[in-house]
Amino acid sequence: MSEYSELVYLYKKGCEYNAYTKFGAHFMEIDGVAGVIFRVFAPNASCIYVVGDFNNWEATHPMQCDQGIWTCFVAGICEGTLYKYLIEDRHGNSVYKADPYGFSSELRPNTASIVADPFSYRWSDSSWMKSREQKDFVTSPINIYEVHLSSWDTVIKNKKSINLRKTGKALVEYCKSMHYTHIELLPIMEYPLDMSWGYQCTGYYSLSGRYGHPRDFQYFVNLCHKNDLGVILDWVPGHYCMDEHGLAKFDGTNLFGDEVHPHWGTYKFNFTEKTVWSFLLSNAVFWSKAYHIDGIRVDGVSSMLYLDYGRDNRFRKNAYGGEDDLYAKDFLKTFNDLMHREFPGFLTFAEEASSYQGVTAPTYLNGLGFDYKWNMGWMNDTLLYFSVDYDYRKENHHKITFSSVYARDEKFILPFSHDEVVHSKKQLLDKMPGEYWRKFACLRTLMAYQMFHPGKKLLFMGIEIAQIMEWRFYEPIEWFMLKYPIHDSFHEYVRMLNKFYLSEKALFEMDNNVLGFDWIDANNQEQSIFSFLRRSKDGEEIIIILNMSIYEYQDFRLGVSQKGKYKEVFSSNLKVYDGTGSHNETAVTSEDIAFHQRENSIRITIPPLSATAFKKI
């Protein structure tokens, strides 16, 4: 029996979850001779050579084939060695390929893989990893800062990589000072085209050459954990790019899939092939084991779930007459079960833009098993409402209230992501109507609405300083805007809003509990005022009032359930945030006057374009 029989059996069944330990380039010693063993799965190739800087890129090191696995041991080479596979297909065509399981890559435009050991880093985050296993993230605050590493504070120029240790340290210090709980990174796996932002990968197991050595990224993750910050990676298992050195037609055939994705001009992974499952599931496990990441956000889940996603004329049906891709669905269920079983406390997120049911339902109930789904409906309705001129908001009142109808259908992330500040969609500040000061007041209200609405939070970099220009991958955040007082004040406002969110259990403990949210008045469309309660598990309440109009209301009567004194604990209209300064400076006492179907009420001041929060004292 071949030494690879068990590996091939599991790999072809889609059950090999640690394929990276077998395939790729690994240090080993044979008969006392140290070197590297190369293995690659290419069952349809006729001949493969390992070529690299160790042999002047000449075909002098042929690989031996056993059940589709090609192997070659090269003595004397060390970490940092460049290599590729020279693959000849059954038609006599030859092509140079990067290693699908390569752990490191040259900086683009160069495309070679680099011999590296991603398991040599000495971690010191055991306390974080242990606490993660015990944490209940459903009842905990999650406030995510979404980052494109290449353009957070600098831009990769020429052939220089980012100094990730320096940039990483600055990013960690910044996120901690801003009271974020997690950092989510746009894909950091190797990709050839900068303008794809990492969403068209060639090296799924490789840290991009843009970010240096694998140990640099491990240092960054370790530093995050020591500062109580989780790390989430964007992951793209739905499609891969067509570049010649990548996965496309790897062994002369469409080993990973050949259907062209209509939106992105890429190839879709073929989930009917279980070898694809082993490749991708092992990839998720690899990033979790080698880099201690805390979560994965799966990009483009909708494009995976529907057989004819992105095509105008839908015609394909599954075996039961439905439109969903049963193989992709089963893959996603397996992915979620695997990650939750193997890595307690690990979080999975779905970017799913349709009304597909059960994205966050458990797999034993035929759900997909994700922990959270991005609430794209909430995001679209919210941004549409906030972009409407103030005099016409009452006609769009339902855009705000509608989300409460389905808020508990799934476990949601409320995202203001990179996709909303590119491609002429304008930055969030520029979406707001009116004069400059009103734009800021409106944006402050928008940020508070996100924090006070049930659901976990995500904000893309630059929004927190009210950046004016759309995000461009080739330019850093406009940090110079902080020299202007109104931008600096807004930055401080977001910092304090984040802090307030983390300090108030009522804002996160019962996001998915019917008792965690209650409208006080959802129907005041004439004044464009929304009021509701958020509640913690122990019954503590926060009253939220959002004034979406440009008018101030004094002696505004608001129904309350309990007698007593109420104190304003948050206002977006303080002068320190460049508001007008009008707010409720002293506590107010309830009156025995029924209002809003409650036995008591209070009279308060509601500033224009503001978010206000009260608590009973």
Side-chain angles (χ1 to χ4, degrees), residues 125 127-129 131-132 135 137 141 143 172 175-176 179-183 220-231 294 502:
D125 64 344
S127 177
W128 165 272
M129 298 298 284
S131 67
R132 190 186 81 179
K135 195 163 188 177
F137 285 99
N143 188 17
V172 167
C175 288
K176 190 171 183 179
H179 305 289
Y180 291 105
T181 63
H182 292 75
I183 299 172
F220 167 69
V221 175
N222 193 65
L223 188 62
C224 284
H225 289 172
K226 294 179 77 171
N227 284 274
D228 296 320
L229 285 165
V231 179
D294 304 289
L502 297 184

Side-chain angles (χ1 to χ4, degrees), residues 340-353:
H340 292 135
R341 180 177 68 248
E342 296 297 317
F343 308 100
F346 191 88
L347 295 172
T348 61
F349 305 83
E351 187 210 20
E352 205 288 299

Side-chain angles (χ1 to χ4, degrees), residues 168-364:
K169 182 178 180 182
L171 179 57
V172 167
E173 291 174 353
Y174 178 75
C175 288
K176 190 171 183 179
S177 72
M178 290 296 291
H179 305 289
Y180 291 105
T181 63
H182 292 75
I183 299 172
E184 180 174 328
L185 301 174
L186 273 62
I188 59 168
M189 301 82 180
E190 185 54 49
Y191 59 102
L193 184 64
D194 287 345
M195 68 176 63
S196 80
W197 314 331
Y199 291 98
Q200 296 185 11
C201 298
T202 50
Y204 276 77
Y205 287 79
S206 172
L207 177 72
S208 174
R210 297 162 176 82
Y211 308 124
H213 192 278
R215 284 191 289 272
D216 296 328
F217 184 66
Q218 290 164 327
Y219 167 86
F220 167 69
V221 175
N222 193 65
L223 188 62
C224 284
H225 289 172
K226 294 179 77 171
N227 284 274
D228 296 320
L229 285 165
V231 179
I232 301 163
L233 296 187
D234 277 13
W235 189 51
V236 191
H239 62 107
Y240 61 95
C241 69
M242 295 181 172
D243 290 56
E244 185 179 68
H245 69 279
L247 302 180
K249 301 185 185 304
F250 186 77
D251 61 358
T253 66
N254 299 301
L255 188 63
F256 294 92
D258 63 346
E259 182 182 346
V260 177
H261 199 295
H263 277 189
W264 300 302
T266 52
Y267 284 129
K268 297 179 69 173
F269 279 106
N270 181 5
F271 290 106
T272 65
E273 291 291 338
K274 290 301 182 72
T275 54
V276 169
W277 287 41
S278 288
F279 176 78
L280 289 172
L281 294 173
S282 292
N283 187 239
V285 170
F286 167 76
W287 285 98
S288 304
K289 285 187 176 180
Y291 292 97
H292 287 202
I293 64 166
D294 304 289
I296 282 176
R297 176 263 201 184
V298 181
D299 179 70
V301 171
S302 300
S303 73
M304 300 171 66
L305 289 175
Y306 295 100
L307 288 168
D308 284 303
Y309 178 87
R311 301 183 187 278
D312 293 333
N313 299 314
R314 299 186 174 221
F315 62 94
R316 287 182 297 184
K317 302 292 183 182
N318 61 38
Y320 303 100
E323 294 180 343
D324 48 334
D325 186 330
L326 300 178
Y327 294 99
K329 178 180 176 180
D330 286 345
F331 167 81
L332 290 170
K333 292 168 67 174
T334 303
F335 158 74
N336 281 305
D337 283 344
L338 171 66
M339 301 310 289
H340 292 135
R341 180 177 68 248
E342 296 297 317
F343 308 100
F346 191 88
L347 295 172
T348 61
F349 305 83
E351 187 210 20
E352 205 288 299
S354 75
S355 57
Y356 198 94
Q357 297 295 306
V359 174
T360 60
T363 57
Y364 61 80

Side-chain angles (χ1 to χ4, degrees), residues 555-569:
D555 289 326
F556 185 92
R557 189 170 293 279
L558 188 76
V560 295
S561 301
Q562 303 175 31
K563 292 183 178 181
K565 288 188 175 183
Y566 288 80
K567 178 182 179 182
E568 182 182 274
V569 291

